[in-house]
Short mmCIF file of all heavy atoms in Angstrom, two decimals:
data_model
loop_
_atom_site.label_atom_id
_atom_site.label_comp_id
_atom_site.label_asym_id
_atom_site.label_seq_id
_atom_site.Cartn_x
_atom_site.Cartn_y
_atom_site.Cartn_z
N ALA A 85 168.96 95.61 132.78
CA ALA A 85 168.86 95.12 134.16
C ALA A 85 169.45 93.71 134.27
O ALA A 85 170.17 93.40 135.23
CB ALA A 85 167.41 95.13 134.61
N VAL A 86 169.17 92.86 133.31
CA VAL A 86 169.73 91.51 133.32
C VAL A 86 171.23 91.54 133.09
O VAL A 86 171.99 90.81 133.74
CB VAL A 86 169.03 90.64 132.25
CG1 VAL A 86 169.77 89.31 132.05
CG2 VAL A 86 167.58 90.37 132.65
N LYS A 87 171.67 92.40 132.19
CA LYS A 87 173.11 92.53 131.93
C LYS A 87 173.86 92.93 133.20
O LYS A 87 174.95 92.42 133.49
CB LYS A 87 173.34 93.57 130.84
CG LYS A 87 174.79 93.73 130.41
CD LYS A 87 174.91 94.73 129.27
CE LYS A 87 176.37 94.93 128.86
NZ LYS A 87 176.49 95.91 127.76
N ASP A 88 173.26 93.81 133.99
CA ASP A 88 173.91 94.30 135.20
C ASP A 88 173.76 93.36 136.39
O ASP A 88 174.64 93.32 137.26
CB ASP A 88 173.32 95.67 135.60
CG ASP A 88 173.66 96.78 134.63
OD1 ASP A 88 174.56 96.61 133.80
OD2 ASP A 88 172.98 97.84 134.71
N ASN A 89 172.65 92.63 136.47
CA ASN A 89 172.29 91.92 137.70
C ASN A 89 172.08 90.43 137.52
O ASN A 89 171.79 89.74 138.51
CB ASN A 89 170.99 92.52 138.28
CG ASN A 89 171.09 94.00 138.53
OD1 ASN A 89 171.61 94.45 139.54
ND2 ASN A 89 170.59 94.81 137.58
N GLY A 90 172.21 89.92 136.29
CA GLY A 90 171.87 88.53 136.05
C GLY A 90 170.37 88.36 135.94
O GLY A 90 169.60 89.32 136.03
N SER A 91 169.92 87.11 135.78
CA SER A 91 168.50 86.85 135.56
C SER A 91 167.80 86.31 136.79
O SER A 91 166.73 85.70 136.71
CB SER A 91 168.31 85.88 134.39
OG SER A 91 169.00 84.66 134.66
N SER A 92 168.41 86.52 137.96
CA SER A 92 167.82 86.09 139.22
C SER A 92 167.94 87.23 140.24
O SER A 92 169.04 87.53 140.71
CB SER A 92 168.51 84.83 139.75
OG SER A 92 167.99 84.47 141.01
N PHE A 93 166.82 87.88 140.53
CA PHE A 93 166.83 88.95 141.53
C PHE A 93 165.41 89.23 142.00
O PHE A 93 164.43 88.85 141.34
CB PHE A 93 167.48 90.23 140.99
CG PHE A 93 166.92 90.74 139.69
CD1 PHE A 93 165.73 91.47 139.65
CD2 PHE A 93 167.59 90.51 138.49
CE1 PHE A 93 165.22 91.96 138.45
CE2 PHE A 93 167.09 90.99 137.28
CZ PHE A 93 165.92 91.72 137.26
N GLN A 94 165.32 89.87 143.16
CA GLN A 94 164.04 90.33 143.66
C GLN A 94 163.83 91.77 143.21
O GLN A 94 164.75 92.59 143.29
CB GLN A 94 163.98 90.22 145.18
CG GLN A 94 164.00 88.78 145.66
CD GLN A 94 163.69 88.64 147.13
OE1 GLN A 94 163.23 89.60 147.79
NE2 GLN A 94 163.91 87.46 147.68
N ALA A 95 162.62 92.05 142.73
CA ALA A 95 162.37 93.33 142.08
C ALA A 95 161.19 94.07 142.69
O ALA A 95 160.22 93.47 143.17
CB ALA A 95 162.11 93.12 140.59
N GLY A 96 161.29 95.38 142.66
CA GLY A 96 160.16 96.25 142.88
C GLY A 96 159.70 96.78 141.54
O GLY A 96 160.50 96.87 140.59
N TYR A 97 158.43 97.11 141.44
CA TYR A 97 157.87 97.53 140.15
C TYR A 97 156.90 98.67 140.36
O TYR A 97 155.95 98.57 141.16
CB TYR A 97 157.17 96.33 139.50
CG TYR A 97 156.47 96.61 138.19
CD1 TYR A 97 157.09 97.36 137.18
CD2 TYR A 97 155.20 96.11 137.94
CE1 TYR A 97 156.45 97.59 135.98
CE2 TYR A 97 154.55 96.34 136.74
CZ TYR A 97 155.19 97.09 135.76
OH TYR A 97 154.55 97.32 134.56
N ALA A 98 157.12 99.77 139.65
CA ALA A 98 156.24 100.94 139.73
C ALA A 98 155.32 100.94 138.51
O ALA A 98 155.79 100.95 137.37
CB ALA A 98 157.06 102.22 139.78
N TYR A 99 154.02 100.94 138.77
CA TYR A 99 153.06 100.84 137.66
C TYR A 99 151.69 101.32 138.11
O TYR A 99 151.26 101.07 139.24
CB TYR A 99 152.96 99.38 137.21
CG TYR A 99 151.85 99.07 136.23
CD1 TYR A 99 151.78 99.72 135.00
CD2 TYR A 99 150.89 98.11 136.53
CE1 TYR A 99 150.77 99.42 134.09
CE2 TYR A 99 149.87 97.80 135.63
CZ TYR A 99 149.82 98.46 134.42
OH TYR A 99 148.82 98.17 133.53
N VAL A 100 151.00 102.03 137.20
CA VAL A 100 149.61 102.40 137.39
C VAL A 100 148.86 102.02 136.12
O VAL A 100 149.25 102.43 135.02
CB VAL A 100 149.45 103.91 137.66
CG1 VAL A 100 147.97 104.30 137.70
CG2 VAL A 100 150.13 104.29 138.96
N ALA A 101 147.84 101.21 136.24
CA ALA A 101 147.08 100.76 135.07
C ALA A 101 146.19 101.87 134.52
O ALA A 101 145.83 102.81 135.23
CB ALA A 101 146.23 99.55 135.45
N GLY A 102 145.83 101.75 133.25
CA GLY A 102 144.87 102.66 132.64
C GLY A 102 145.48 103.72 131.74
O GLY A 102 144.76 104.45 131.07
N PHE A 103 146.81 103.80 131.72
CA PHE A 103 147.51 104.74 130.84
C PHE A 103 148.19 103.94 129.73
O PHE A 103 148.99 103.04 130.02
CB PHE A 103 148.54 105.56 131.62
CG PHE A 103 147.93 106.46 132.66
CD1 PHE A 103 147.75 106.01 133.96
CD2 PHE A 103 147.51 107.74 132.33
CE1 PHE A 103 147.17 106.83 134.92
CE2 PHE A 103 146.94 108.57 133.27
CZ PHE A 103 146.76 108.12 134.57
N ALA A 104 147.86 104.25 128.49
CA ALA A 104 148.31 103.42 127.37
C ALA A 104 149.81 103.13 127.39
O ALA A 104 150.22 101.97 127.23
CB ALA A 104 147.89 104.05 126.04
N PRO A 105 150.68 104.14 127.56
CA PRO A 105 152.11 103.83 127.53
C PRO A 105 152.54 102.92 128.67
O PRO A 105 153.36 102.01 128.48
CB PRO A 105 152.79 105.20 127.62
CG PRO A 105 151.75 106.10 128.20
CD PRO A 105 150.44 105.58 127.71
N LEU A 106 151.98 103.13 129.87
CA LEU A 106 152.33 102.28 131.00
C LEU A 106 151.78 100.87 130.81
O LEU A 106 152.43 99.88 131.17
CB LEU A 106 151.81 102.88 132.30
CG LEU A 106 152.47 104.18 132.74
CD1 LEU A 106 151.86 104.67 134.06
CD2 LEU A 106 153.98 104.02 132.89
N ASP A 107 150.60 100.76 130.23
CA ASP A 107 150.02 99.44 129.98
C ASP A 107 150.86 98.66 128.96
O ASP A 107 151.07 97.45 129.11
CB ASP A 107 148.58 99.56 129.49
CG ASP A 107 147.63 100.06 130.58
OD1 ASP A 107 148.00 99.98 131.77
OD2 ASP A 107 146.54 100.54 130.23
N ARG A 108 151.35 99.36 127.93
CA ARG A 108 152.20 98.67 126.95
C ARG A 108 153.53 98.25 127.59
O ARG A 108 154.03 97.15 127.34
CB ARG A 108 152.45 99.57 125.74
CG ARG A 108 151.22 99.77 124.85
CD ARG A 108 151.56 100.45 123.55
NE ARG A 108 151.95 101.83 123.72
CZ ARG A 108 151.13 102.87 123.56
NH1 ARG A 108 149.85 102.66 123.25
NH2 ARG A 108 151.55 104.11 123.71
N ARG A 109 154.10 99.11 128.41
CA ARG A 109 155.35 98.77 129.09
C ARG A 109 155.10 97.61 130.07
O ARG A 109 155.97 96.75 130.25
CB ARG A 109 155.90 100.01 129.81
CG ARG A 109 156.28 101.10 128.83
CD ARG A 109 156.61 102.44 129.49
NE ARG A 109 156.60 103.50 128.48
CZ ARG A 109 156.96 104.76 128.71
NH1 ARG A 109 157.36 105.13 129.92
NH2 ARG A 109 156.92 105.66 127.73
N ASN A 110 153.93 97.58 130.67
CA ASN A 110 153.60 96.48 131.57
C ASN A 110 153.52 95.15 130.83
O ASN A 110 153.90 94.10 131.37
CB ASN A 110 152.27 96.77 132.27
CG ASN A 110 151.88 95.68 133.24
OD1 ASN A 110 152.58 95.42 134.22
ND2 ASN A 110 150.77 95.01 132.96
N GLU A 111 153.02 95.16 129.61
CA GLU A 111 152.98 93.93 128.82
C GLU A 111 154.38 93.34 128.67
O GLU A 111 154.59 92.12 128.78
CB GLU A 111 152.36 94.20 127.45
CG GLU A 111 150.86 94.49 127.50
CD GLU A 111 150.33 95.04 126.18
OE1 GLU A 111 151.13 95.17 125.22
OE2 GLU A 111 149.13 95.33 126.11
N THR A 112 155.36 94.22 128.41
CA THR A 112 156.74 93.75 128.28
C THR A 112 157.26 93.23 129.62
O THR A 112 157.99 92.22 129.66
CB THR A 112 157.63 94.89 127.76
OG1 THR A 112 157.15 95.30 126.48
CG2 THR A 112 159.08 94.45 127.63
N TRP A 113 156.92 93.88 130.71
CA TRP A 113 157.33 93.42 132.03
C TRP A 113 156.77 92.04 132.33
O TRP A 113 157.48 91.16 132.82
CB TRP A 113 156.87 94.43 133.09
CG TRP A 113 157.03 94.01 134.52
CD1 TRP A 113 156.02 93.84 135.43
CD2 TRP A 113 158.25 93.74 135.23
NE1 TRP A 113 156.54 93.48 136.65
CE2 TRP A 113 157.90 93.42 136.56
CE3 TRP A 113 159.59 93.75 134.87
CZ2 TRP A 113 158.84 93.10 137.53
CZ3 TRP A 113 160.53 93.43 135.84
CH2 TRP A 113 160.17 93.11 137.15
#
């Protein structure tokens, strides 16, 4: 995403807490 858009942009984020894989991906986000 940074390679394509640079490091300055407005973002939307899809996430639901309570699921281990999504929670781990959220930590990276």
Side-chain angles (χ1 to χ4, degrees):
V86 169
K87 184 177 179 180
D88 292 345
N89 304 278
S91 58
S92 176
F93 53 80
Q94 293 191 12
Y97 177 45
Y99 170 59
V100 174
F103 296 91
L106 292 181
D107 291 342
R108 289 190 291 263
R109 296 170 195 186
N110 181 62
E111 289 168 1
T112 300
W113 171 242

